[in-house]
């Protein structure tokens, strides 16, 4: 089964972090981190519905200006998510410009900004161009177990990582696809109809097999009339120090991910420097990927000192993954 999104690092392995997640069947995209996005054409920026920022170091957040500039005239709404203090940081960025003419623009471009705390409470605020981006408080929300966004087809989960400051990692979890065998349904004497949506929802929510639906046990319906294809999982973690706590948190967030994007900033010959900078070496990234049982790994956020030597970083990561698996 093809995943519902395709994933692309906007600036490759050396440039500012920004991972563009494009929905294959919709005109919609998500962005994980908001570094320099000059390489994204406006039509791709205008497809963004939700942008998740790991932390506000410049290389992860300086694309904010381009996002606002391209979106300003079009109206619409973009949701932003970030770590503690993020709402203030967005407010301060917006306050650095003069907005006296924007109320004449045709649309009312709106930013809905969410800031998640380690207790999973979420503070939210709205900034509208028609109001010159004055901050409007919204009711607090929650993100149970780190789920920032829950939709029919997927959920977006976060985890707190230690980078000297709080830094968010993200996982895009596609929900299972449920296909119905209509002929087998007919053999069971069951009609097609809207009740199948309830059935699919019961499967997606993981209700117990004895749950009754239309006179049958859910488990029986699953075994006889449904084909359940597990969804794909993509995880993205960057900017973290190597520690047991970070490793455990990523192992949980990225457990069994089909694809793991993980920073691999330095070679292990410079492990001390990496620790001082609160970043991972490629070997540490490989070890974490192995612990999380990630099926495929894409390293990125390479230090520019390795320009022309990226093969060494990739080889070190893969060597560590392989060595630990034997
Ligand atoms: Zn960084
Ligand atoms: Zn950083």
């Amino acid at each position: 089964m093809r995943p519902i999104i395709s994933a692309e690092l906007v600036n490759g392995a050396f440039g500012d972090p920004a991972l563009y997640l494009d929905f294959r069947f919709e005109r919609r995209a998500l962005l994980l981190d908001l570094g320099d996005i000059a390489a994204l054409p406006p039509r791709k920026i205008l497809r963004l519905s939700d942008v998740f920022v790991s932390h506000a170091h410049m290389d992860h957040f300086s694309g904010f200006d381009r996002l606002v500039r391209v979106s300003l005239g079009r109206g619409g709404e973009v949701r932003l998510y970030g770590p503690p203090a993020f709402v203030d940081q967005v407010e301060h960025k917006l306050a650095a410009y003069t907005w006296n003419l924007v109320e004449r623009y045709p649309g009312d471009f709106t930013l809905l900004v969410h800031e998640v705390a380690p207790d999973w409470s979420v503070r939210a605020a709205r900034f509208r161009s028609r109001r010159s981006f004055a901050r409007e408080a919204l009711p607090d929300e929650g993100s149970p177990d780190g789920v920032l966004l829950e939709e029919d087809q997927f959920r977006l989960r976060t985890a707190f990582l230690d980078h000297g400051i709080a830094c968010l990692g993200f996982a895009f979890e596609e929900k299972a696809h449920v296909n119905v065998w209509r002929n087998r349904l007919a053999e069971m004497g069951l009609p097609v109809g809207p009740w199948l949506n309830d059935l699919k929802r019961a499967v997606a929510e993981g209700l117990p097999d004895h749950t009754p639906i239309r006179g049958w046990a859910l488990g029986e319906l699953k075994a006889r009339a449904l084909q359940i294809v597990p969804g794909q999982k993509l995880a993205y973690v960057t900017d973290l120090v190597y520690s047991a706590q970070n490793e455990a948190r990523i192992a949980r967030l990225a457990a069994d991910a089909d694809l793991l994007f993980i920073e691999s900033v330095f070679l292990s010959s410079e492990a001390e420097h990496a620790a001082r900078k609160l970043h991972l070496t490629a070997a540490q990234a490989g070890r974490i990927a192995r612990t999380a049982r990630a099926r495929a790994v894409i390293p990125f956020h390479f230090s520019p000192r390795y320009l022309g030597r990226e093969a060494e970083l990739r080889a070190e990561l893969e060597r560590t993954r392989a060595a630990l698996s034997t």
Side-chain angles (χ1 to χ4, degrees), residues 188-207:
M188 295 167 79
L190 289 167
V192 290
W195 73 278
L196 289 172
N197 291 329
D198 299 334
L199 174 60
K200 289 181 178 181
R201 201 169 309 118
V203 173
E205 287 170 6
L207 295 188

Side-chain angles (χ1 to χ4, degrees), residues 55 57 59-60 163 239 279:
H55 63 306
H57 280 158
D59 54 329
H60 298 255
H163 177 44
D239 292 60
H279 278 296

Side-chain angles (χ1 to χ4, degrees), residues 149-163:
L149 191 60
E150 174 96 47
E151 299 196 8
D152 286 348
Q153 289 191 298
F154 71 91
R155 68 176 69 80
L156 198 303
R157 194 188 297 277
T158 190
F160 274 85
L161 304 173
D162 175 14
H163 177 44

Side-chain angles (χ1 to χ4, degrees), residues 43-59:
R43 68 179 165 79
K44 291 186 93 172
I45 293 175
L46 293 175
R47 231 182 273 165
L48 292 169
S49 62
D50 300 82
V51 177
F52 301 84
V53 176
S54 63
H55 63 306
H57 280 158
M58 278 195 86
D59 54 329

Side-chain angles (χ1 to χ4, degrees), residues 30-213:
L30 312 178
L31 193 65
L32 306 184
D33 265 338
L34 187 51
D36 183 356
I37 51 168
L40 278 182
R43 68 179 165 79
K44 291 186 93 172
I45 293 175
L46 293 175
R47 231 182 273 165
L48 292 169
S49 62
D50 300 82
V51 177
F52 301 84
V53 176
S54 63
H55 63 306
H57 280 158
M58 278 195 86
D59 54 329
H60 298 255
F61 193 39
S62 71
F64 177 83
D65 283 24
R66 181 164 163 82
L67 171 69
V68 173
R69 182 142 192 228
V70 169
S71 308
L72 203 51
R74 71 140 186 181
E77 197 174 271
V78 175
R79 291 175 292 198
L80 289 172
Y81 306 79
F86 189 60
V87 174
D88 285 348
Q89 286 168 319
V90 169
E91 182 178 25
H92 294 155
K93 268 199 164 267
L94 291 165
Y97 293 103
T98 305
W99 299 110
N100 62 309
L101 296 175
V102 286
E103 61 263 33
R104 294 187 212 158
Y105 280 40
D108 187 14
F109 175 59
T110 300
L111 290 164
L112 288 172
V113 186
H114 305 78
E115 147 187 333
V116 60
D119 67 359
W120 300 136
S121 63
V122 175
R123 192 144 67 117
R126 181 168 58 197
F127 300 87
R128 291 187 282 170
S129 61
R130 286 266 167 81
R131 300 203 51 198
S132 303
F133 293 109
R135 176 176 177 158
E136 301 167 61
L138 296 177
D140 286 354
E141 299 169 21
S143 55
D145 204 24
V147 175
L148 293 174
L149 191 60
E150 174 96 47
E151 299 196 8
D152 286 348
Q153 289 191 298
F154 71 91
R155 68 176 69 80
L156 198 303
R157 194 188 297 277
T158 190
F160 274 85
L161 304 173
D162 175 14
H163 177 44
I165 51 167
C167 179
L168 302 178
F170 303 109
F172 177 90
E173 302 169 3
E174 192 183 335
K175 295 182 184 175
H177 301 273
V178 181
N179 301 322
V180 180
W181 301 109
R182 287 170 180 235
N183 54 335
R184 299 198 193 154
L185 214 55
E187 286 165 16
M188 295 167 79
L190 289 167
V192 290
W195 73 278
L196 289 172
N197 291 329
D198 299 334
L199 174 60
K200 289 181 178 181
R201 201 169 309 118
V203 173
E205 287 170 6
L207 295 188
D209 278 351
H210 60 76
T211 308
I213 294 178

